[in-house]
Amino acid sequence: MLMTTSAKNQKRIAIYGKGGIGKSSTASNVAAACADEGYKVMIIGCDPKSDSSITLLGGKRIPTILDLLRQNIDVREKDIVFEGYGGVKCVEVGGPEPGIGCAGRGIIVAIQKLQKACPSMSDMDLIIYDVPGDIVCGGFVAPIRKGLVTEAYILTSGEYMPLYAANNICKGLAKIDTPLSGIICNSRSVTREEEIVRRFSEEIGSRLVAFIPKEQIVQDCERDGFSVLEKAPRSDIAHVYRNLAKAIMFNDQSILPGSLDDERLRELTR
Amino acid sequence: MMGKELSIIHPRPSSIVAALYTLRDLNVDVAILHGPPGCSFKHARLLEEDGIRVVTTALDENGFVFGGRQELSSLLEKVNEMFKPRLIGVVGTCASMIIGEELREPVEDANLDVPVIEVEVHAGYPDNTKGVLITLESACEVGVIDREELERQKVLLHEATQVEKRHGAASRQYLEPSRGDVKYKVAERVIRLLQEGRKCITIMNAKKETGYMFADITAAVNEVALALGKEGNVVNMANVDDSLGLPRVRHHAKCIAADLKERGITVHEIIGGMDEYPVTGERVNELIKQKYKDYDFALITGVPHAIPMEALEGMEVISVTNGPRQVLPLKEMGHQHVIVEIDLHPKTLGVNHIVESEFGATLREVAKDMLGK
Ligand code: SF4
């Protein structure tokens, strides 16, 4: 297998979680926070919505790898890698039109292209894969299976559905022998939310690495096309992201996660 | 897993291939494989020799990711222009079916005034007859066959699957291919039996176009019997009813029956149509019970494992198959001699006259030596 990402201390993480739970904003804020600390960071958005990088690029959309492949363009690094806030290198995988083709296969093809076309991947200190939704098929696990990801994080809130998805992802990770490095709670202001997610994390054998409170400012910055780190660097929430970034960069604990049965999951969220 | 059916691990034609052959029997002029360029390559090429055009949308990696609706509709237009077909078939493949391709929409996009049989099939069905079934159902929807024929075919397909599972290539997880017994030795045996005045039944129970070669064996046995003056000791059965089956299949029956007649060979008992090979066994059984109980040996060609052993009790059985994986099951059924006509299929595609078989030729040659003629 071609491995361009061979640097020794490089962190290659994937963030999984239910669709719409806030993976992209978390990923881009973490990327920005790490860039602020002087790390070389790359963010690879695997969601067809291509919204992982938009807040690092001042609201600008970039061509996706699959857009270019669709046009039969032989992609090179400069066609797909765009520098954003703090020098963060942004890549978007893109996807087929809804209802047509195979998004999972698209991820596989795109990351293979990326590996080939993008030598600068090996210079990075941190590469973040922002993977959509639940682990739904082999294609979505490709970044892990192809050896591109070494650590996985799960983002969830304290509601039943995101936890259900998180639990499923744990099953998937265990199946493909990939350790989980921690759970991140992106709050939806549910009662006892932090406690619920903490309990969940512990019961599957992992830990809660961050609790991100729900703050309007995140959405406001996003709407303007910025991360909070760029637009509101002195806000409390920016501080939370900085702590999360630190936790990720210094994290050296990971475990093969267990999972809960549905009854226990319901009990937790009741 | 509970109740899991026997999984067959030796290679067999897939449902995609079965669909292609069925389209051929429905007399399509062009079959389009919607999928990767190499899919079903060998059969596609054979079918081209049989007079139909087989083309592919040649989906590549991009096609898997983005779908191939556009590719299929423009290929439909191109094919229509190039070949002026009267009937077209479109066959799915694993690649296009896994990504959820729809065949109806591109057919509608192309908007041809030629009927198109859409076959949404992949290779992942354990019984490849599934490919036939899906094709026939679609053909019925388009009005190419009527419901009655569809129902008849369904029964035959079910029986064909059962025959294969009982004593055929699907009877065992793995069957080693074998060339069977040596042909000239079996030829010698047949000639000796005829010389001794033993009474012979030839049973041609052939699957569709394979009959073009199996009929040659019936012809050869009759020729040898005639040379020995024992023609009265041979009775011929064959599934050459030309009133049954899909258009091309009926045509085969007509051609084979006409050729046999021209060679002066009487088919004493017509045991069914050329697609009825899985259900002829009972008819053969009844006929033997009623009229041919005292016959000494039977020479069965085509799908010999569809004839029940009950029918052949007390007879020496010689069988000729074109399936190298069929030798062991036939031996186990109790057939004393089993031989294989290698390469039968490529030689019988695209023909409309009887084709010389290796065993027929051997019989004729050995007879010349033995009889000094
Ligand atoms: S896997 Fe399926 S689609 Fe691919 S070549 Fe084989 S039969 Fe065709």
Side-chain angles (χ1 to χ4, degrees):
Chain A
M1 193 203 315
L2 184 79
M3 275 294 302
T4 47
T5 47
S6 56
K8 256 208 192 120
N9 294 318
Q10 188 178 63
K11 284 226 166 229
R12 305 193 296 260
I13 70 166
I15 302 182
Y16 284 96
K18 182 181 172 294
I21 199 65
K23 286 187 299 296
S24 298
S25 59
T26 306
S28 53
N29 278 301
V30 166
C34 288
D36 281 346
E37 289 298 307
Y39 292 114
K40 291 184 192 159
V41 183
M42 177 179 271
I43 185 162
I44 299 164
C46 299
D47 192 308
K49 290 199 304 296
S50 296
D51 51 6
S52 305
S53 57
I54 199 159
T55 52
L56 294 164
L57 292 154
K60 205 179 78 201
R61 286 209 179 270
I62 56 175
T64 71
I65 302 179
L66 290 179
D67 276 343
L68 301 177
L69 290 183
R70 199 191 321 247
Q71 297 159 38
N72 282 321
I73 292 171
D74 185 20
V75 294
R76 280 162 306 165
E77 181 160 344
K78 67 175 182 40
D79 304 319
I80 49 174
V81 181
F82 295 83
E83 215 167 282
Y85 173 77
V88 175
K89 299 204 173 200
C90 303
V91 178
E92 288 288 356
V93 164
E97 273 174 55
I100 302 175
C102 176
R105 183 71 206 161
I107 295 178
I108 295 172
V109 172
I111 60 173
Q112 280 170 345
K113 270 274 172 238
L114 183 66
Q115 277 177 286
K116 267 209 194 112
C118 188
S120 72
M121 275 178 99
S122 55
D123 290 340
M124 297 294 122
D125 299 310
L126 171 68
I127 300 179
I128 305 175
Y129 287 85
D130 176 14
V131 192
D134 207 332
I135 296 183
V136 289
C137 79
F140 291 78
V141 208
I144 293 177
R145 280 246 166 95
K146 302 281 174 202
L148 299 178
V149 166
T150 47
E151 295 174 32
Y153 288 86
I154 296 175
L155 195 76
T156 181
S157 71
E159 294 158 303
Y160 174 73
M161 283 312 288
L163 275 174
Y164 179 86
N167 198 45
N168 256 355
I169 293 163
C170 289
K171 287 182 194 164
L173 292 175
K175 194 159 282 167
I176 58 175
D177 228 359
T178 299
L180 175 67
S181 297
I183 303 278
I184 303 162
C185 178
N186 197 30
S187 172
R188 289 295 177 98
S189 306
V190 179
T191 350
R192 296 189 297 109
E193 192 165 29
E194 189 168 352
E195 187 198 325
I196 291 170
V197 180
R198 191 182 302 280
R199 285 291 282 279
F200 171 77
S201 312
E202 285 163 7
E203 288 186 28
I204 58 158
S206 185
R207 69 201 175 96
L208 181 67
V209 281
F211 178 82
I212 306 169
K214 188 173 162 67
E215 300 252 354
Q216 187 55 37
I217 191 169
V218 179
Q219 265 72 50
D220 294 344
C221 291
E222 251 172 38
R223 211 170 290 145
D224 294 344
F226 297 102
S227 64
V228 277
L229 272 294
E230 185 174 2
K231 194 77 189 281
R234 266 180 284 280
S235 61
D236 289 348
I237 194 87
H239 196 61
V240 173
Y241 284 123
R242 267 184 217 111
N243 281 343
L244 171 57
K246 223 173 273 158
I248 288 174
M249 289 314 286
F250 291 102
N251 184 26
D252 54 6
Q253 299 176 26
S254 53
I255 50 103
L256 222 49
S259 53
L260 307 185
D261 61 27
D262 194 50
E263 206 174 308
R264 177 66 192 133
L265 209 55
R266 284 187 189 278
E267 216 173 78
L268 257 184
T269 50
R270 222 170 264 148
Chain B
M1 218 189 294
M2 284 280 288
K4 176 109 172 75
E5 279 195 39
L6 180 72
S7 78
I8 311 300
I9 61 170
H10 52 251
R12 294 191 306 150
S14 70
S15 278
I16 301 173
V17 169
L20 284 171
Y21 279 103
T22 311
L23 286 173
R24 183 271 320 258
D25 291 343
L26 289 161
N27 277 343
V28 301
D29 301 296
V30 184
I32 298 177
L33 273 163
H34 186 36
C39 183
S40 309
F41 150 75
K42 191 163 179 195
H43 289 277
R45 208 159 74 173
L46 282 174
L47 282 165
E48 288 234 298
E49 314 225 323
D50 209 10
I52 77 167
R53 315 274 184 169
V54 185
V55 294
T56 170
T57 47
L59 282 193
D60 57 6
E61 189 86 275
N62 266 14
F64 298 165
V65 177
F66 302 117
R69 177 173 174 167
Q70 174 62 37
E71 283 78 359
L72 180 52
S73 66
S74 45
L75 185 58
L76 276 159
E77 284 163 24
K78 187 179 258 174
V79 149
N80 193 34
E81 226 176 84
M82 281 173 83
F83 306 124
K84 312 267 179 281
R86 282 155 302 157
L87 184 61
I88 299 176
V90 179
V91 183
T93 58
C94 311
S96 60
M97 293 299 104
I98 288 170
I99 66 168
E101 284 280 271
E102 235 278 314
L103 302 182
R104 179 65 46 88
E105 287 161 359
V107 168
E108 278 169 5
D109 290 349
N111 194 23
L112 311 179
D113 48 10
V114 180
V116 179
I117 302 173
E118 297 152 19
V119 193
E120 296 208 345
V121 68
H122 53 71
Y125 298 104
D127 293 332
N128 53 20
T129 45
K130 182 81 181 165
V132 181
L133 202 65
I134 300 174
T135 312
L136 292 170
E137 268 163 0
S138 179
C140 184
E141 254 170 57
V142 188
V144 175
I145 58 168
D146 57 24
R147 191 138 291 275
E148 201 183 324
E149 179 61 21
L150 175 64
E151 293 309 320
R152 179 180 166 275
Q153 292 288 340
K154 277 188 186 168
V155 173
L156 292 177
L157 283 173
H158 176 75
E159 288 307 318
T161 307
Q162 294 313 311
V163 164
E164 286 316 301
K165 285 186 179 167
R166 268 199 305 270
H167 299 294
S171 61
R172 184 101 34 115
Q173 194 173 38
Y174 183 76
L175 277 163
E176 198 151 340
S178 156
R179 295 216 155 195
D181 295 324
V182 179
K183 289 192 179 69
Y184 82 87
K185 289 206 165 163
V186 182
E188 258 178 30
R189 179 71 189 153
V190 171
I191 297 164
R192 289 247 180 276
L193 287 166
L194 286 169
Q195 252 176 343
E196 288 167 10
R198 302 297 168 103
K199 292 165 91 177
C200 166
I201 311 179
T202 72
I203 307 169
M204 181 182 98
N205 187 38
K207 182 176 177 180
K208 305 176 188 181
E209 68 277 5
T210 65
Y212 286 112
M213 194 178 269
F214 288 124
D216 180 60
I217 296 170
T218 303
V221 173
N222 281 271
E223 287 161 29
V224 173
L226 186 68
L228 288 165
K230 307 281 188 192
E231 65 273 22
N233 281 358
V234 180
V235 65
N236 302 309
M237 300 185 183
N239 59 332
V240 287
D241 186 338
D242 65 7
S243 65
L244 295 167
L246 302 182
R248 193 174 287 236
V249 173
R250 275 183 272 141
H251 175 72
H252 296 327
K254 198 172 278 170
C255 293
I256 292 168
D259 267 14
L260 285 173
K261 195 168 171 202
E262 208 182 290
R263 294 181 189 206
I265 292 153
T266 310
V267 177
H268 303 88
E269 309 285 357
I270 292 184
I271 54 173
M274 300 214 69
D275 55 5
E276 289 196 317
Y277 61 91
V279 295
T280 47
E282 265 321 298
R283 264 171 247 173
V284 171
N285 197 11
E286 281 307 306
L287 280 166
I288 293 179
K289 263 196 212 146
Q290 284 164 16
K291 303 195 207 168
Y292 308 109
K293 254 210 298 263
D294 58 334
Y295 274 61
D296 302 296
F297 71 105
L299 196 146
I300 318 173
T301 61
V303 186
H305 54 286
I307 311 294
M309 284 313 283
E310 187 198 341
L312 308 165
E313 220 183 284
M315 293 186 205
E316 185 164 334
V317 181
I318 298 142
S319 58
V320 189
T321 164
N322 62 323
R325 297 187 193 274
Q326 202 53 73
V327 175
L328 185 71
L330 284 167
K331 288 270 181 185
E332 283 179 352
M333 282 176 83
H335 293 207
Q336 284 87 342
H337 315 276
V338 180
I339 48 185
V340 183
E341 280 294 338
I342 310 277
D343 283 345
L344 178 145
H345 221 197
K347 290 182 190 150
T348 52
L349 285 174
V351 302
N352 46 26
H353 285 291
I354 290 178
V355 173
E356 185 180 67
S357 63
E358 231 179 77
F359 186 56
T362 311
L363 255 178
R364 293 179 183 105
E365 281 305 308
V366 175
K368 263 190 226 162
D369 289 347
M370 285 173 69
L371 311 179
K373 292 187 190 173

